[in-house]
Amino acid sequence: MKKEKLIIFDTTMRDGEQSPGASMTKDEKLRIARQLERMHVDVIEAGFPAASDGDFDAVKAVATVVKDSTVCGLARANEHDVRRCGEAIRGAKSPRLHTFIATSPIHMEKKLRMEPSQVIEQAVKAITWAREYTDNIEFSPEDAGRSDLDFLCRILERAITAGATTINVPDTVGYTLPEHFGALIHNLRERIPNSDKAVWSVHCHNDLGLAVANSLAAIMNGARQVECTVNGLGERAGNASLEEIVMAVRTRQDAFPCDTNIDTTQIVPASRLVSGITGFTVQPNKAIVGANAFAHEAGIHQDGVLKSRDTYEIMRAQDVGWKANKLVLGKHSGRNAFKARLVELGIELSSEEAMNAAFKRFKDLADKKHEIFDEDLQALITEESLDHEDSEHYRLISLTAHSETGEKPFAKLVLAEAGNEKTTEAHGSGPVDASFKAIDNIVKSGAELLLYSVNNITTGTDSQGEVTVRLAKDGRIVNGLGADTDIVVASAKAYINALNKLHSKLERLNPQV
Ligand code: KIV
Ligand code: ZN
């Protein structure tokens, strides 16, 4: 029997971007969008165009480039947001406009300060404005998980009558339990007279670690779209993870009445790309995409897997895109081989100049590290795009770090501030600490260091280290990234990248605040 289709709606670039410090540039969004398209994601929510001019441009660029997936933008239910969103998605081959308004008593009273009847009117107006741009309209009653069932039935019936073609039920604060959430979807579909005129969708947050379980319960009760993010990125504890939903449905086809179109071999590359761009690393024991997800440590398990893989594995690592690190390029590879590999990875550089700069970086890296893997190329391109952000106020020119047993570690560096080179030095508890202190001597940012983490990009001691630095200042949180075969240099680059982001003061609105 042919299975029904489960629509995969990816919101990594919208809800995922709402994670503190995860904001993405236009180029980064384009790279992620291409990977999502390659993975056959049905709907890509590319951003919230009213958030900032930068996000408007990013959504517009994604809408122009993506051809095989629907491109969606988010808008609060007001005329300005809806029109801004409508303009941003206009160029898409298949556009969708997603508008939302809160429906729980606490949100209506305390956040919106609106009466329930006004909320209904506003939702209907927003859908009516949206129809001037597209017929593909999604409506979400925000905080549905804590909303009154009768009220939800009233507003959703009106939303469908007004023209919403997808009704998305968000558990905005991750409060619901699988059984209750499944029943909510069942009841809404049963009670709303025109419920069959819309696709039912769910959007679950992970505050209680139940986002995936709640989404799966909803699918069992008739939801045919799931909103999710790569690596489960998203506000607070994140959203339902795309890879977990897709693989649960694919692996348990005996239990689910539907399946997705996802090319699962693109899952691990997508996970790596998103963690590389955002600096949100993936925990080793994360299902599907964690480094240990297919590693067997216990001898008894190893023995079993060698005899027959399915004794301990319910999925095949290669089906989700794990492969042995593949040597792709080396120091003798030429420009054409480099360019061809970037094309295979779906990376398009904006100009010949950007290609020349990336090729130079590649050659410098190949001098230090003989074997260059796909992951190295991804990191190199991320670095290249960081350097080309308009916001580059500080730039690392050179760094010397010294550590010796029994001696106090020391760093000396030359940093360009708005083009003027300055030399500074400092001692610290280690070479990284000394470098950060030296940078602070010049920048004096007063920012608080929230996170410092180092990961190998590939394996081996000659691997590049990828460093994430998270800084907070005046209520803003930014992530800085840096990669190098020398982790002290990678750390300094990541710190400077974060300082540049703080300096750029680019502000974006969060749709839900
Ligand atoms: O969590 C939420 O309610 C949302 C909506 C905008 C769908 O992100
Ligand atoms: Zn959300």
Side-chain angles (χ1 to χ4, degrees):
M1 197 180 74
K2 188 155 167 18
K3 294 272 176 139
E4 284 180 62
K5 170 151 180 214
L6 176 65
I7 298 169
I8 294 295
F9 177 115
D10 177 277
T11 182
T12 309
M13 295 192 285
R14 198 279 297 168
D15 214 316
E17 197 187 28
Q18 286 170 220
S19 318
S23 64
M24 302 161 197
T25 63
K26 179 168 93 179
D27 283 348
E28 289 166 347
K29 284 200 171 186
L30 281 170
R31 284 172 63 204
I32 294 176
R34 288 196 188 96
Q35 178 59 26
L36 295 175
E37 190 181 25
R38 200 171 305 124
M39 190 159 56
H40 302 167
V41 159
D42 301 287
V43 187
I44 299 175
E45 189 164 56
F48 168 45
S52 65
D53 290 345
D55 213 24
F56 176 89
D57 289 344
V59 174
K60 198 169 169 168
V62 171
T64 315
V65 163
V66 168
K67 298 290 172 232
D68 296 335
S69 309
T70 294
V71 177
C72 177
L74 181 72
R76 289 171 297 190
N78 66 57
E79 186 165 2
H80 170 265
D81 277 26
V82 171
R83 296 209 181 282
R84 197 84 181 124
C85 186
E87 292 302 331
I89 57 163
R90 219 191 246 288
K93 190 165 166 215
S94 167
R96 175 181 294 186
L97 198 151
H98 177 190
T99 186
F100 76 101
I101 191 162
T103 51
S104 61
I106 183 166
H107 276 226
M108 290 192 289
E109 272 167 47
K110 305 227 165 94
K111 183 176 91 169
L112 299 176
R113 302 209 169 99
M114 284 167 85
E115 290 300 320
S117 58
Q118 293 175 298
V119 170
I120 297 183
E121 290 320 310
Q122 196 63 25
V124 169
K125 278 190 199 160
I127 293 166
T128 313
W129 292 313
R131 288 184 65 180
E132 293 178 33
Y133 300 88
T134 174
D135 291 335
N136 190 344
I137 297 166
E138 174 168 328
F139 174 72
S140 295
E142 189 192 8
D143 203 13
R146 293 189 298 170
S147 301
D148 172 67
L149 180 63
D150 289 337
F151 181 60
L152 278 179
C153 289
R154 276 168 54 212
I155 190 167
L156 295 181
E157 182 181 351
R158 291 282 304 278
I160 297 170
T161 307
T165 45
T166 298
I167 295 293
N168 176 49
V169 183
D171 179 17
T172 304
V173 291
Y175 177 72
T176 61
L177 301 174
E179 211 178 317
H180 299 166
F181 196 62
L184 174 64
I185 301 303
H186 175 86
N187 290 333
L188 290 171
R189 292 181 59 237
E190 283 290 303
R191 287 183 46 178
I192 297 176
N194 53 3
S195 68
D196 60 326
K197 305 277 181 307
V199 172
W200 286 82
S201 167
V202 289
H203 173 114
C204 297
H205 279 270
N206 208 26
D207 300 66
L208 294 173
L210 293 171
V212 170
N214 285 338
S215 306
L216 297 179
I219 297 171
M220 293 297 195
N221 284 280
R224 287 296 174 266
Q225 173 176 289
V226 176
E227 302 201 352
C228 45
T229 57
V230 174
N231 299 338
L233 198 67
E235 282 267 21
R236 308 179 308 280
N239 287 67
S241 122
L242 178 147
E243 55 279 6
E244 292 176 24
I245 302 270
V246 168
M247 290 316 292
V249 171
R250 181 68 50 89
T251 307
R252 295 305 309 271
Q253 276 294 289
D254 58 322
F256 286 97
C258 51
D259 197 6
T260 72
N261 268 353
I262 294 295
D263 174 356
T264 59
T265 62
Q266 294 300 329
I267 285 179
V268 169
S271 162
R272 290 214 168 126
L273 182 64
V274 169
S275 75
I277 285 179
T278 58
F280 279 63
T281 48
V282 173
Q283 75 198 53
N285 58 333
K286 162 88 176 63
I288 322 291
V289 292
N292 290 353
F294 291 87
H296 299 278
E297 176 63 24
I300 189 167
H301 288 203
Q302 288 174 353
D303 180 56
V305 169
L306 288 176
K307 287 182 179 139
S308 174
R309 187 191 58 79
D310 50 12
T311 49
Y312 286 99
E313 278 187 12
I314 56 165
M315 298 166 273
R316 294 190 326 157
Q318 60 269 41
D319 290 348
V320 297
W322 284 104
K323 47 184 181 249
N325 283 338
K326 199 160 64 121
L327 169 64
V328 285
L329 296 170
K331 129 187 200 161
H332 299 297
S333 308
R335 209 168 179 281
N336 284 344
F338 174 70
K339 209 169 165 176
R341 190 63 204 149
L342 292 188
V343 172
E344 276 170 40
L345 288 172
I347 299 171
E348 278 170 38
L349 292 175
S350 51
S351 62
E352 210 43 33
E353 195 195 346
M355 175 59 77
N356 291 341
F359 186 61
K360 167 145 193 342
R361 251 180 215 272
F362 159 70
K363 282 288 182 186
D364 292 346
L365 181 61
D367 274 339
K368 295 191 251 172
K369 181 178 189 290
H370 299 303
E371 300 175 326
I372 308 282
F373 300 103
D374 286 347
E375 292 79 1
D376 291 311
L377 293 180
Q378 297 276 18
L380 186 141
I381 298 301
T382 300
E383 285 238 301
E384 192 56 36
S385 69
L386 293 175
D387 280 4
H388 280 86
E389 280 170 28
D390 304 337
S391 54
E392 211 194 22
H393 184 72
Y394 304 106
R395 174 186 272 271
L396 179 68
I397 306 293
S398 65
L399 166 63
T400 315
H402 181 79
S403 57
E404 189 180 332
T405 35
E407 293 293 321
K408 196 140 175 75
F410 166 80
K412 178 172 175 182
L413 56 85
V414 181
L415 188 71
E417 180 177 8
N420 298 324
E421 291 190 10
K422 298 180 178 172
T423 304
T424 174
E425 48 189 68
H427 285 97
S429 59
V432 171
D433 187 49
S435 319
F436 282 27
K437 289 199 165 112
I439 294 168
D440 284 340
N441 286 342
I442 294 176
V443 179
K444 297 184 178 60
S445 73
E448 186 190 352
L449 180 70
L450 298 184
L451 174 101
Y452 167 75
S453 85
V454 191
N455 277 292
N456 281 10
I457 291 185
T458 52
T459 49
T461 49
D462 74 338
S463 161
Q464 291 196 83
E466 188 173 47
V467 176
T468 305
V469 167
R470 188 169 302 153
L471 298 180
K473 193 179 174 200
D474 302 334
R476 287 180 69 212
I477 297 182
V478 294
N479 272 345
L481 300 175
D484 202 280
T485 46
D486 179 330
I487 57 165
V488 182
V489 175
S491 305
K493 284 180 178 174
Y495 191 36
I496 292 169
N497 178 235
L499 291 168
N500 275 325
K501 287 188 178 168
L502 277 182
H503 182 265
S504 77
K505 296 207 173 55
L506 280 179
E507 289 299 351
R508 52 189 324 281
L509 279 177
N510 178 325
Q512 287 159 299
V513 177

